[in-house]
Amino acid sequence: MRLLIFGPPGAGKGTQAQFISQRYSIPHISTGDIFRENIRNETPTGIAAKHYADAGELVPDELTTAMLRDRLFQDDTYNGFLLDGYPRTPAQVEALEQMLDEQRAALNAVLNMKVPDEVIVERLGLRRRSDDSVDTVLKRIRIYHETTAPIAEYYREKGLLVDITGVGSIDSIATQIITSLESKA
Ligand code: AMP
């Protein structure tokens, strides 16, 4: 099973991604997590990405794709993967298509977690705070709408997108995801 998952910050994507990864025995590959690990370990990738990640901005495509490529071509992705946080730009969509062609593989579905902005602001407790980290999250939400959401729409045109309502209990959202994936398979 080869899946992508889209959703704004605060959509509960990480929780659902972990669940899907266990259920289908596929690695959860999050470019955000890989960047954070590189930043923590002060690798060359981490040092180059830190400034962008701290500001809530996208890391340049070339660096992001090189990093993802290394991960996607490891042995454990042979039976599939759940990609979280990539692709986020048209150049990344193209790069992913190229990588999948090289693996003679195709995506099965693209999950699109939808959560209204008001719910995200409430969930993350942003209303009661006012500091730089709030500005950064708001900026990430704005970048999501401007840059990433149109990418999800591209997959809708390809017939791969599955909309998931990211509001409700964790279990009810997980059930929605499984039901949609099983009806698609
Ligand atoms: P995330 O946890 O997915 O929101 O990612 C955290 C940060 O890592 C983002 O704010 C970006 O700075 C960077 N990042 C993660 N994935 C990508 C990507 N596909 N393209 C560019 N930057 C990314």
Side-chain angles (χ1 to χ4, degrees), residues 13 31-32 35-36 52-53 56-59 64 85-86 88 92 140:
K13 207 161 38 106
T31 45
F35 273 129
R36 280 182 285 275
Y52 300 98
E57 285 165 13
L58 295 181
V59 177
T64 306
Y86 189 100
R88 270 157 131 124
Q92 292 180 14
R140 286 172 57 214

Side-chain angles (χ1 to χ4, degrees), residues 120-150:
I120 298 173
V121 168
E122 198 57 54
R123 257 188 211 174
L124 300 178
L126 300 186
R127 247 193 259 295
R128 290 181 298 282
R129 287 167 29 197
S130 159
D131 56 42
D132 284 357
S133 64
V134 173
D135 287 346
T136 306
V137 177
L138 293 176
K139 184 157 151 197
R140 286 172 57 214
I141 295 174
R142 183 170 51 73
I143 294 178
Y144 182 80
H145 287 303
E146 288 173 1
T147 314
T148 312

Side-chain angles (χ1 to χ4, degrees), residues 74-105:
Q74 285 173 24
D75 291 344
D76 65 342
T77 62
Y78 189 74
N79 288 318
F81 52 78
L82 170 64
L83 196 47
D84 168 3
Y86 189 100
R88 270 157 131 124
T89 67
Q92 292 180 14
V93 169
E94 220 172 287
L96 178 62
E97 275 167 12
Q98 167 81 35
M99 289 183 256
L100 287 168
D101 279 352
E102 285 174 46
Q103 297 189 338
R104 307 210 187 298

